[in-house]
Amino acid sequence: MSPELRYLSVGYRNDWISRQALLTSHPSVPMAESIQQLILDHLDAHGSVDDTRTLTLPGAAAPASDAESQTTILGALNSLLSREMIHYESHETISHVLTPEGAQIARQGSHEALVWTALSVKEAGTPITPAQLKQIIGDEAAKVGQGRAFKNGWIAKHGNGLVKVVSTIEDVTQNELRAVESTGTLSAGEKSLADLRKRKLIVQKKGQWFTVQKGPNFSTSTAKPETDLTVDMLTSGAWKSAQFKKYNFEAEGIYPNGGALHPLLKVREEMRNIFLEMGFAEMPTSSFVESGFWCFDALFVPQQHPAREMQDTFYLSDPIKALSPPRDYYERVSRVHEHGGFGSAGYRAPWSDAESHKLLLRTHTTASSAHMLYKLAARCRGEPPKEDDDARSGRDDDGFRPAKLFSIDRVFRNETMDATHLAEFHQVEGVVADRGLTLADLIGFMRVFFSKMGISNLRFKPAYNPYTEPSLEIFAFHPMLNKWVEVGNSGMFRPEMLEPMGFPKDVHVHGWGISLERPTMIRYGINNIRTLVGHKVPIESVEKSPAVRF
């Protein structure tokens, strides 16, 4: 007896017919609701659903034994479960389905049977060579079928060809595949199934079915509870009798598809926190375009230095000329370049106003440091302060007050782009200005700073910079590369740079700089900078990059 007839036999015939008529005459009624109603009616009649595979879905001619129907039933069960109208348990089934090759064999016969069929009986016909066999049944069938036909004793060699040695055969493979196709399994047992799986003629398929019980809020009505309290409900008073859906406070919210910080920004923030922790103030570095004066001349870089040539610097064509810096300071800088001063012989080379007024994309953030140091020396030059902060400045009688400043921003070089170089990159820079600073203070500070980045094994090498003397290159031992790598450059700003600004002779300034890209590549195991910055960067790598901690 079908589930529908069993359902009718307990006195619900008229009600069941009316519901089926409603679903038939109103196709707009959602299928999900009709399945929910079917389950609730069955529970009301029988107390439980012992096996959802015995249910016949509306509009179907047979019980819902296939996986697709059970998936549809699962959606209806979850909807009822959320309203506590039912409880259900899942049960797993394992069956087998034919692969495309298995389905072909079930229709046409196995490869070995095709080989046997194509051959003639020994002494009754001409033997067929393997090459001819391939032309008759195809390469794949001939290749696979010959071995199995020999193994079964169906064929034999005769001269240079093959012949039949039995008059009839039983195509066991075809019969087994037809049985699997109809039942999903084999009565012969797991060994035969394993052989067919090994030959990739069948695959395992997992299915499920359910047993269903009544829940605490069981009802045969599928009316959905209200999810929102509306103005109309409050006005009419309908909220008093309405059934509201319970809030599930344990449900996880939808993961927001928001932005993600680029690895460079994560490392930048870590470095920034180190500076702030050490009492530094951040310099404004929004001036990507600088003049040759602030980028080079103020730093005591000679106007004939090769770094100022077109092959290293991006110069602007429009506008082509910068505004003039303060006149008295400009004259002091030009004089020390051309004729010397402040204990220096200078460069003894002609001074070019045109070279000094060129506009360019800054090649280092030290141009911003020069601006800030010039402003810091304003009191030393006797210029009036913008506000009266003498009480909290901590300055000495000559107007100087110590400062610790840092910046992390972009710079531009006319570089040939490769795995480790870009025309645009970031520079991390810091300066410390105070009286009586020595080279030992700079080395000590560098050790503390890099230790906060997790780098403790440092070496310092004497170097040359136009605007620092003495100068030091900083090397760290890289345990993954097992070698020493350069991680920064540092030095003490020259008197030829500081004294024209107005600083007293006993004020010294430490300066150093490192890149942002190199430590980021090391932290994230990146060996090509073009996969860190640029159009080749996959968005997924940005979204999934972990936080960095030094």
Side-chain angles (χ1 to χ4, degrees), residues 60-87:
S65 58
D66 60 291
E68 183 178 354
S69 297
Q70 291 301 309
T71 301
T72 304
I73 289 174
L74 176 60
L77 292 176
N78 284 331
S79 179
L80 296 173
L81 179 66
S82 66
R83 289 176 269 169
E84 299 185 353
M85 298 177 71
I86 63 158
H87 297 300

Side-chain angles (χ1 to χ4, degrees), residues 86-241:
I86 63 158
H87 297 300
Y88 74 86
E89 293 182 5
S90 299
H91 305 274
E92 189 177 82
T93 62
I94 296 178
S95 61
H96 294 80
V97 294
L98 305 187
T99 63
E101 183 182 2
Q104 182 180 357
I105 290 175
R107 293 192 306 270
Q108 301 175 1
S110 64
H111 300 316
E112 56 268 30
L114 294 178
V115 170
W116 179 86
T117 304
L119 301 181
S120 301
V121 179
K122 186 177 181 181
E123 308 296 345
T126 304
I128 295 177
T129 65
Q132 292 172 328
L133 184 63
K134 289 182 180 180
Q135 294 178 351
I136 297 172
I137 64 175
D139 289 352
E140 183 67 21
K143 179 181 177 181
V144 177
Q146 283 184 63
R148 299 190 69 85
F150 272 117
K151 182 179 179 180
N152 293 339
W154 294 353
I155 64 173
K157 290 190 69 175
H158 187 67
N160 293 328
L162 303 172
V163 294
K164 296 178 182 178
V165 294
V166 294
S167 57
T168 60
I169 62 169
E170 179 186 0
D171 194 348
V172 176
T173 301
Q174 184 183 38
N175 295 338
E176 289 180 342
L177 290 175
R178 287 178 174 176
V180 171
E181 188 175 32
S182 61
T183 65
T185 188
L186 279 177
S187 58
E190 177 59 28
K191 184 177 180 181
S192 299
L193 289 171
D195 182 58
L196 294 177
R197 286 197 301 268
K198 184 178 180 181
R199 295 173 62 184
K200 298 182 179 179
L201 301 179
I202 63 173
V203 292
Q204 252 185 11
K205 182 183 73 171
K206 290 185 178 181
Q208 58 182 347
W209 56 277
F210 311 95
T211 55
V212 189
Q213 306 290 335
K214 294 179 181 179
N217 296 335
F218 175 78
S219 170
T220 56
S221 173
T222 58
K224 293 185 177 180
E226 300 290 346
T227 57
D228 296 308
L229 181 63
T230 64
V231 174
D232 292 339
M233 287 182 181
L234 294 173
T235 304
S236 64
W239 64 272
K240 297 178 181 179
S241 58

Side-chain angles (χ1 to χ4, degrees), residues 524-546:
Y524 286 94
I526 298 171
N527 57 14
N528 191 328
I529 196 171
R530 288 168 292 193
T531 62
L532 176 68
V533 180
H535 65 282
K536 294 184 179 180
V537 179
I539 298 298
E540 294 79 11
S541 69
V542 176
E543 293 176 342
K544 297 178 181 179
S545 63

Side-chain angles (χ1 to χ4, degrees), residues 443 446-447 450 455-462 471-478 482-490:
I443 293 174
M446 287 291 96
R447 292 192 182 279
F450 279 100
I455 302 173
S456 56
N457 200 355
L458 294 177
R459 284 181 178 175
F460 300 91
K461 175 185 175 183
S471 304
L472 296 173
E473 289 178 346
I474 309 165
F475 290 82
F477 186 77
H478 195 306
N482 197 31
K483 66 178 184 180
W484 292 88
V485 296
E486 184 180 353
V487 294
N489 204 334
S490 65

